[in-house]
Amino acid sequence: MDYDWDNRVDTTSATVSWPDRLRGVFNSPYQPTEPGLFHEMIRSLPIEFSEFTFIDLGSGKGRALLMAADYPFRRIVGIELLPRLHRVAQENIREYRSEAQQCFAVESVCGDAVDFAFPPEPAVLYLFNPLPENGLERVIANVELSLEKNPRPVYVVYHNPLLEALLVRSATLKKVGGTDQYSVYASLESGGHKIPAV
Ligand SMILES: C[S@@+](CC[C@H](N)C(=O)[O-])C[C@H]1O[C@@H](n2cnc3c(N)ncnc32)[C@H](O)[C@@H]1O
């Protein structure tokens, strides 16, 4: 609520409609990322932001997209399954006004994260538990295939990593940092630098 009030946007879960809440039970309920933790996660990354695309799989009303816009990312993309949440995200992107904003190439796409074709550029992939086990397995396989075709630095920031076991067994993505609230994995091309715990 504080985030929405301060930034004149609508990213709270409190106003999600009942049909979308119900769909959330079968997919993954909408819950926006808490700002303090988001900035801790993003600031921990040892990257030149301007070289990286920020991708939020399961972007909901777009709060993580707006918070990422406060960093000079090359561009920012969110993929959201539920059309109503996607439309609110589009409106939020249009309305967002912040002196902190540094990236203006921000978009929300309505679609299934499992089918998302990763762009062949360095990326920060943000996951806040958007998918069940079989969906996340397919997303990891897509990332690995994309890295095989176009080797490049890719970081996966996994917030509340309930299904981390699926990433642990990846041969392409290795854990480089995190806390009990999130984990950071990186492709081999990222240089393997360990991120000191905050
Ligand atoms: C926990 S919320 C995270 C919201 C946002 N990433 C944030 O951090 O503020 C998870 C979101 O994933 C969406 N979702 C669930 N299954 C999905 C899928 N297959 N493809 C895309 N989005 C999905 C849900 O509708 C929900 O908005």
Side-chain angles (χ1 to χ4, degrees):
M1 285 296 192
D2 287 348
Y3 180 85
D4 286 4
W5 179 256
D6 291 345
N7 295 285
R8 299 287 188 271
V9 289
D10 165 21
T11 64
T12 175
S13 57
T15 53
V16 172
S17 67
W18 284 107
D20 285 341
R21 278 172 201 252
L22 195 60
R23 288 189 72 184
V25 173
F26 297 107
N27 299 295
S28 156
Y30 174 66
Q31 189 192 344
T33 299
E34 191 272 312
L37 180 58
F38 183 83
H39 292 297
E40 177 185 321
M41 292 187 280
I42 297 304
R43 286 181 189 144
S44 78
L45 298 173
I47 61 170
E48 195 65 56
F49 288 102
S50 59
E51 293 170 7
F52 283 75
T53 295
F54 179 91
I55 301 169
D56 182 10
L57 292 187
S59 43
K61 292 180 170 186
R63 184 189 289 183
L65 307 179
L66 302 180
M67 294 190 293
D70 291 351
Y71 299 83
F73 280 108
R74 176 179 168 180
R75 65 189 183 103
I76 294 169
V77 187
I79 295 85
E80 171 54 44
L81 186 66
L82 302 186
R84 261 188 294 256
L85 298 187
H86 156 69
R87 282 196 292 274
V88 176
Q90 286 185 309
E91 179 72 13
N92 284 331
I93 291 166
R94 267 196 301 276
E95 292 301 318
Y96 184 61
R97 296 282 176 277
S98 165
E99 286 181 3
Q101 186 167 6
Q102 297 190 61
C103 175
F104 294 86
V106 185
E107 64 173 326
S108 171
V109 174
C110 191
D112 192 331
V114 168
D115 302 324
F116 182 67
F118 288 94
E121 57 216 38
V124 172
L125 179 58
Y126 181 62
L127 302 169
F128 180 14
N129 278 324
L131 298 163
E133 186 163 345
N134 61 344
L136 186 59
E137 254 170 353
R138 286 172 62 189
V139 164
I140 294 169
N142 290 345
V143 176
E144 290 176 333
L145 195 63
S146 170
L147 282 167
E148 205 177 292
K149 281 193 204 151
N150 295 289
R152 61 196 185 283
V154 167
Y155 286 84
V156 179
V157 178
Y158 188 5
H159 174 193
N160 192 18
L162 296 177
L163 298 171
E164 184 167 1
L166 301 181
L167 271 170
V168 169
R169 62 183 191 222
S170 170
T172 323
L173 297 162
K174 294 293 167 205
K175 188 163 184 171
V176 293
T179 67
D180 56 343
Q181 289 178 292
Y182 66 94
S183 295
V184 182
Y185 283 73
S187 63
L188 304 177
E189 291 72 23
S190 306
H193 307 295
K194 293 280 181 218
I195 299 173
V198 181

